């Protein structure tokens, strides 16, 4: 077990594991940085109804960016959209029953949602649709400073 994971698991017993991204796994950090750079190059994030845009590029149902991250860095990538109190996968390469898990929610009782709801990133191990992943989640914030979604990257630990 790597040093980061053992520290995180030990802290879970006492509290939610909200970890500074600087302590996260190096490949998670690199993939997260690449995901955010790819999208920032397209423009500012915004919501139009339940549609996520970066600049003029609609993200819902478009898998080019998440697939590019997987191709270059391995692992998985997702863009979640805030809908009410939930975050829903709208662009992902996370698979469920052999298909992209589009439309599935972020675990509403999980540590990542708790961190994002507090405006903070979450880096640590998470159960995603029944498999454990080393993950990074960061808020997608619009020009007004409101959280409108989540950037996610992860690597299977199984």
């Amino acid at each position: 077990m790597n040093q980061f994971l053992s520290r995180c698991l030990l802290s879970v017993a006492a509290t939610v594991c909200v970890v500074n991204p600087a302590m996260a796994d190096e490949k998670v950090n690199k993939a997260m940085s690449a995901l955010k750079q790819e999208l920032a190059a397209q423009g500012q994030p915004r919501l139009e109804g339940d549609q996520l845009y970066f600049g003029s590029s609609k993200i819902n149902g478009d898998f080019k960016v998440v697939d590019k991250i997987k191709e270059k860095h391995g692992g998985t990538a997702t863009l979640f959209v805030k809908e009410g109190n939930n975050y829903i996968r709208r662009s992902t390469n996370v698979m469920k029953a052999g298909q992209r898990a589009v439309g599935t929610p972020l675990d509403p009782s999980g540590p990542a949602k708790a961190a994002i709801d507090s405006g903070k990133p979450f880096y640590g191990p998470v159960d995603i649709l029944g498999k454990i992943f080393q993950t990074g989640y960061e808020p997608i914030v619009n020009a007004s400073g409101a959280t409108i979604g989540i950037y996610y990257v992860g690597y299977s630990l199984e």
Side-chain angles (χ1 to χ4, degrees), residues 139-154:
I140 298 172
V141 179
N142 68 13
S144 301
T147 298
I148 61 171
I150 303 171
Y151 302 99
Y152 155 85
V153 295

PDB file of all heavy atoms in Angstrom, residues 139-154:
ATOM      1  N   PRO A 139     -13.893  20.971  -7.659  1.00  0.00           N
ATOM      2  CA  PRO A 139     -15.081  21.696  -8.108  1.00  0.00           C
ATOM      3  C   PRO A 139     -14.851  22.391  -9.449  1.00  0.00           C
ATOM      4  O   PRO A 139     -13.768  22.914  -9.696  1.00  0.00           O
ATOM      5  CB  PRO A 139     -15.308  22.747  -7.016  1.00  0.00           C
ATOM      6  CG  PRO A 139     -14.377  22.444  -5.910  1.00  0.00           C
ATOM      7  CD  PRO A 139     -13.332  21.516  -6.428  1.00  0.00           C
ATOM      8  N   ILE A 140     -15.868  22.388 -10.297  1.00  0.00           N
ATOM      9  CA  ILE A 140     -15.896  23.238 -11.489  1.00  0.00           C
ATOM     10  C   ILE A 140     -16.674  24.481 -11.054  1.00  0.00           C
ATOM     11  O   ILE A 140     -17.831  24.371 -10.634  1.00  0.00           O
ATOM     12  CB  ILE A 140     -16.605  22.567 -12.675  1.00  0.00           C
ATOM     13  CG1 ILE A 140     -15.864  21.295 -13.096  1.00  0.00           C
ATOM     14  CG2 ILE A 140     -16.726  23.550 -13.848  1.00  0.00           C
ATOM     15  CD1 ILE A 140     -16.604  20.470 -14.148  1.00  0.00           C
ATOM     16  N   VAL A 141     -16.027  25.634 -11.148  1.00  0.00           N
ATOM     17  CA  VAL A 141     -16.605  26.876 -10.646  1.00  0.00           C
ATOM     18  C   VAL A 141     -16.832  27.830 -11.811  1.00  0.00           C
ATOM     19  O   VAL A 141     -15.948  28.009 -12.658  1.00  0.00           O
ATOM     20  CB  VAL A 141     -15.653  27.503  -9.600  1.00  0.00           C
ATOM     21  CG1 VAL A 141     -16.203  28.810  -9.065  1.00  0.00           C
ATOM     22  CG2 VAL A 141     -15.409  26.518  -8.456  1.00  0.00           C
ATOM     23  N   ASN A 142     -18.022  28.454 -11.849  1.00  0.00           N
ATOM     24  CA  ASN A 142     -18.317  29.406 -12.926  1.00  0.00           C
ATOM     25  C   ASN A 142     -17.726  30.780 -12.605  1.00  0.00           C
ATOM     26  O   ASN A 142     -17.100  30.977 -11.551  1.00  0.00           O
ATOM     27  CB  ASN A 142     -19.828  29.475 -13.210  1.00  0.00           C
ATOM     28  CG  ASN A 142     -20.625  30.082 -12.083  1.00  0.00           C
ATOM     29  OD1 ASN A 142     -20.102  30.683 -11.141  1.00  0.00           O
ATOM     30  ND2 ASN A 142     -21.943  29.940 -12.159  1.00  0.00           N
ATOM     31  N   ALA A 143     -17.928  31.725 -13.516  1.00  0.00           N
ATOM     32  CA  ALA A 143     -17.364  33.071 -13.369  1.00  0.00           C
ATOM     33  C   ALA A 143     -17.861  33.785 -12.115  1.00  0.00           C
ATOM     34  O   ALA A 143     -17.184  34.670 -11.592  1.00  0.00           O
ATOM     35  CB  ALA A 143     -17.672  33.908 -14.610  1.00  0.00           C
ATOM     36  N   SER A 144     -19.027  33.396 -11.601  1.00  0.00           N
ATOM     37  CA  SER A 144     -19.576  34.006 -10.384  1.00  0.00           C
ATOM     38  C   SER A 144     -19.069  33.340  -9.113  1.00  0.00           C
ATOM     39  O   SER A 144     -19.424  33.756  -8.013  1.00  0.00           O
ATOM     40  CB  SER A 144     -21.105  33.921 -10.402  1.00  0.00           C
ATOM     41  OG  SER A 144     -21.614  34.574 -11.529  1.00  0.00           O
ATOM     42  N   GLY A 145     -18.286  32.267  -9.256  1.00  0.00           N
ATOM     43  CA  GLY A 145     -17.740  31.572  -8.090  1.00  0.00           C
ATOM     44  C   GLY A 145     -18.602  30.438  -7.575  1.00  0.00           C
ATOM     45  O   GLY A 145     -18.287  29.832  -6.550  1.00  0.00           O
ATOM     46  N   ALA A 146     -19.694  30.113  -8.272  1.00  0.00           N
ATOM     47  CA  ALA A 146     -20.580  29.019  -7.850  1.00  0.00           C
ATOM     48  C   ALA A 146     -20.065  27.687  -8.399  1.00  0.00           C
ATOM     49  O   ALA A 146     -19.603  27.616  -9.541  1.00  0.00           O
ATOM     50  CB  ALA A 146     -21.995  29.265  -8.353  1.00  0.00           C
ATOM     51  N   THR A 147     -20.161  26.645  -7.582  1.00  0.00           N
ATOM     52  CA  THR A 147     -19.802  25.303  -8.034  1.00  0.00           C
ATOM     53  C   THR A 147     -20.920  24.788  -8.940  1.00  0.00           C
ATOM     54  O   THR A 147     -22.068  24.693  -8.520  1.00  0.00           O
ATOM     55  CB  THR A 147     -19.591  24.342  -6.847  1.00  0.00           C
ATOM     56  OG1 THR A 147     -18.499  24.835  -6.060  1.00  0.00           O
ATOM     57  CG2 THR A 147     -19.278  22.932  -7.321  1.00  0.00           C
ATOM     58  N   ILE A 148     -20.559  24.465 -10.187  1.00  0.00           N
ATOM     59  CA  ILE A 148     -21.553  24.003 -11.173  1.00  0.00           C
ATOM     60  C   ILE A 148     -21.309  22.565 -11.610  1.00  0.00           C
ATOM     61  O   ILE A 148     -22.094  21.996 -12.356  1.00  0.00           O
ATOM     62  CB  ILE A 148     -21.589  24.926 -12.401  1.00  0.00           C
ATOM     63  CG1 ILE A 148     -20.241  24.964 -13.118  1.00  0.00           C
ATOM     64  CG2 ILE A 148     -22.050  26.328 -11.993  1.00  0.00           C
ATOM     65  CD1 ILE A 148     -20.260  25.679 -14.458  1.00  0.00           C
ATOM     66  N   GLY A 149     -20.223  21.985 -11.136  1.00  0.00           N
ATOM     67  CA  GLY A 149     -19.895  20.614 -11.514  1.00  0.00           C
ATOM     68  C   GLY A 149     -18.628  20.147 -10.839  1.00  0.00           C
ATOM     69  O   GLY A 149     -18.124  20.799  -9.923  1.00  0.00           O
ATOM     70  N   ILE A 150     -18.120  19.017 -11.317  1.00  0.00           N
ATOM     71  CA  ILE A 150     -16.929  18.414 -10.722  1.00  0.00           C
ATOM     72  C   ILE A 150     -16.042  17.845 -11.832  1.00  0.00           C
ATOM     73  O   ILE A 150     -16.526  17.170 -12.739  1.00  0.00           O
ATOM     74  CB  ILE A 150     -17.300  17.256  -9.770  1.00  0.00           C
ATOM     75  CG1 ILE A 150     -18.238  17.722  -8.666  1.00  0.00           C
ATOM     76  CG2 ILE A 150     -16.040  16.613  -9.176  1.00  0.00           C
ATOM     77  CD1 ILE A 150     -18.799  16.576  -7.820  1.00  0.00           C
ATOM     78  N   TYR A 151     -14.733  18.109 -11.691  1.00  0.00           N
ATOM     79  CA  TYR A 151     -13.717  17.404 -12.469  1.00  0.00           C
ATOM     80  C   TYR A 151     -13.357  16.151 -11.682  1.00  0.00           C
ATOM     81  O   TYR A 151     -13.175  16.217 -10.461  1.00  0.00           O
ATOM     82  CB  TYR A 151     -12.419  18.209 -12.568  1.00  0.00           C
ATOM     83  CG  TYR A 151     -12.501  19.579 -13.157  1.00  0.00           C
ATOM     84  CD1 TYR A 151     -12.563  20.710 -12.339  1.00  0.00           C
ATOM     85  CD2 TYR A 151     -12.410  19.767 -14.534  1.00  0.00           C
ATOM     86  CE1 TYR A 151     -12.554  21.990 -12.869  1.00  0.00           C
ATOM     87  CE2 TYR A 151     -12.416  21.041 -15.078  1.00  0.00           C
ATOM     88  CZ  TYR A 151     -12.483  22.146 -14.244  1.00  0.00           C
ATOM     89  OH  TYR A 151     -12.484  23.410 -14.768  1.00  0.00           O
ATOM     90  N   TYR A 152     -13.221  15.015 -12.349  1.00  0.00           N
ATOM     91  CA  TYR A 152     -12.832  13.761 -11.694  1.00  0.00           C
ATOM     92  C   TYR A 152     -11.809  13.026 -12.543  1.00  0.00           C
ATOM     93  O   TYR A 152     -11.948  12.976 -13.774  1.00  0.00           O
ATOM     94  CB  TYR A 152     -14.042  12.841 -11.495  1.00  0.00           C
ATOM     95  CG  TYR A 152     -13.646  11.381 -11.410  1.00  0.00           C
ATOM     96  CD1 TYR A 152     -13.236  10.824 -10.207  1.00  0.00           C
ATOM     97  CD2 TYR A 152     -13.614  10.575 -12.547  1.00  0.00           C
ATOM     98  CE1 TYR A 152     -12.833   9.491 -10.136  1.00  0.00           C
ATOM     99  CE2 TYR A 152     -13.205   9.258 -12.487  1.00  0.00           C
ATOM    100  CZ  TYR A 152     -12.802   8.727 -11.279  1.00  0.00           C
ATOM    101  OH  TYR A 152     -12.378   7.424 -11.213  1.00  0.00           O
ATOM    102  N   VAL A 153     -10.805  12.451 -11.878  1.00  0.00           N
ATOM    103  CA  VAL A 153      -9.910  11.462 -12.485  1.00  0.00           C
ATOM    104  C   VAL A 153      -9.676  10.359 -11.458  1.00  0.00           C
ATOM    105  O   VAL A 153      -9.761  10.597 -10.245  1.00  0.00           O
ATOM    106  CB  VAL A 153      -8.560  12.053 -12.940  1.00  0.00           C
ATOM    107  CG1 VAL A 153      -8.751  13.066 -14.060  1.00  0.00           C
ATOM    108  CG2 VAL A 153      -7.802  12.669 -11.781  1.00  0.00           C
ATOM    109  N   GLY A 154      -9.417   9.147 -11.940  1.00  0.00           N
ATOM    110  CA  GLY A 154      -9.172   8.044 -11.015  1.00  0.00           C
ATOM    111  C   GLY A 154      -8.505   6.861 -11.668  1.00  0.00           C
ATOM    112  O   GLY A 154      -8.556   6.698 -12.889  1.00  0.00           O
TER     113      GLY A 154
END
